[in-house]
Amino acid sequence: MSKLCGIDVSKSTLDVCLLIKDIPIYSIFNNDENGHFDLVKLLHSNSIETVGFESTGVYHKKLHLYLSNNGYVPFIINPLSISHFRKSLKIQGKTDKTDAYAIAYYILKGDDLSFLTYPTRDFFKAYTTSIIQLDKQKRQLGNLIHSLELREDTDVLILELNKTISSIVDTRKVLFDHTIVMMKEQCPEYDLIKNDIKGVGDTLLVFLLPF
């Protein structure tokens, strides 16, 4: 990766560091649609294909969507990983500019690129898909029980199917609770986002945050 881009995302601005043959080139854009347009224009003009930034919750969501809609698959990096890496670089002074450089350099120098091989959504896909399927099975069994209640001599069937539903509910709770634990590990700002967005609980965030 001789050409790449690290972005420090804040509420209002995008501090950008292009690394071209290890030489940093800095820019700054507004974190809005016009700024996103100008960023993509810069990336195109410099033939940049690799882009990464920290997970910053609500602040990076629109940027992520815009880049995705324009042909990029940005790497969303755990802020704790960047924090530890930045300390190892012993950069003097902490600014948005130096943070953008640290992100770019992190992508460039990472020997173990497993953190870049899949977006966060793929990491949680097995869990969210399983939860969705369990909910679907519960609804289907509930509908089946309702139809059986209209027939005679179905007490045993209904009893056993209700036991199955109880098992599904228990399994779903275990998977959901474990997903929340992992989500908080992968997304340290989880509780901050939950508090910032009124009316949003764990159930919605589990399906919203990874995307």
Side-chain angles (χ1 to χ4, degrees):
M1 293 182 287
S2 60
K3 292 184 177 183
L4 54 87
C5 173
I7 306 172
D8 183 70
V9 181
S10 68
K11 181 178 181 180
S12 302
T13 60
L14 305 173
D15 281 83
V16 175
C17 175
L18 303 185
L19 270 185
I20 300 177
K21 295 182 179 179
D22 289 348
I23 299 174
I25 302 172
Y26 298 100
S27 301
I28 185 169
F29 302 100
N30 290 330
N31 191 5
D32 56 24
E33 190 169 354
N34 289 333
H36 299 165
F37 175 85
D38 291 336
L39 170 62
V40 169
K41 185 177 178 181
L42 176 71
L43 297 176
H44 284 325
S45 65
N46 287 278
S47 301
I48 303 292
E49 296 182 356
T50 304
V51 182
F53 46 82
E54 291 177 302
S55 172
T56 54
V58 292
Y59 298 151
H60 82 256
K61 290 295 182 181
K62 290 183 179 179
L63 173 63
H64 185 189
L65 179 62
Y66 192 91
L67 289 173
S68 298
N69 289 339
N70 282 274
Y72 290 91
V73 182
F75 298 130
I76 304 176
I77 306 166
N78 190 316
L80 291 178
S81 298
I82 294 296
S83 178
H84 292 310
F85 181 75
R86 192 183 188 287
K87 291 177 182 177
S88 72
L89 295 178
K90 297 180 180 179
I91 298 174
Q92 297 298 318
K94 187 181 187 306
T95 65
D96 294 337
K97 184 177 179 179
T98 58
D99 284 347
Y101 173 77
I103 293 169
Y105 205 66
Y106 179 72
I107 298 171
L108 178 67
K109 295 298 182 181
D111 293 327
D112 178 9
L113 296 183
S114 61
F115 67 97
L116 297 178
T117 57
Y118 52 84
T120 307
R121 60 180 177 272
D122 291 337
F123 181 83
F124 289 99
K125 187 175 181 180
Y127 289 88
T128 54
T129 299
S130 296
I131 291 170
I132 291 171
Q133 289 300 317
L134 288 172
D135 287 341
K136 182 178 179 181
Q137 290 176 22
K138 180 186 173 186
R139 288 195 300 271
Q140 290 174 337
L141 288 175
N143 292 335
L144 176 58
I145 289 173
H146 179 69
S147 66
L148 291 174
E149 288 173 341
L150 302 177
R151 303 181 184 182
E152 297 181 355
D153 300 323
T154 58
D155 291 347
V156 174
L157 275 173
I158 292 173
L159 176 62
E160 294 304 317
L161 289 174
N162 274 319
K163 289 180 181 178
T164 302
I165 288 179
S166 295
S167 178
I168 289 173
V169 170
D170 291 341
T171 300
R172 185 196 189 282
K173 184 178 186 307
V174 171
L175 291 181
F176 184 81
D177 290 346
H178 184 61
T179 302
I180 293 295
V181 171
M182 291 195 305
M183 186 77 72
K184 291 183 178 182
E185 291 176 352
Q186 294 289 320
C187 182
E189 67 277 16
Y190 181 93
D191 289 322
L192 176 62
I193 296 172
K194 183 179 176 181
N195 292 332
D196 282 347
I197 306 177
K198 293 182 179 179
V200 173
D202 289 330
T203 300
L204 180 57
L205 282 183
V206 163
F207 293 95
L208 174 64
L209 280 183
F211 293 90

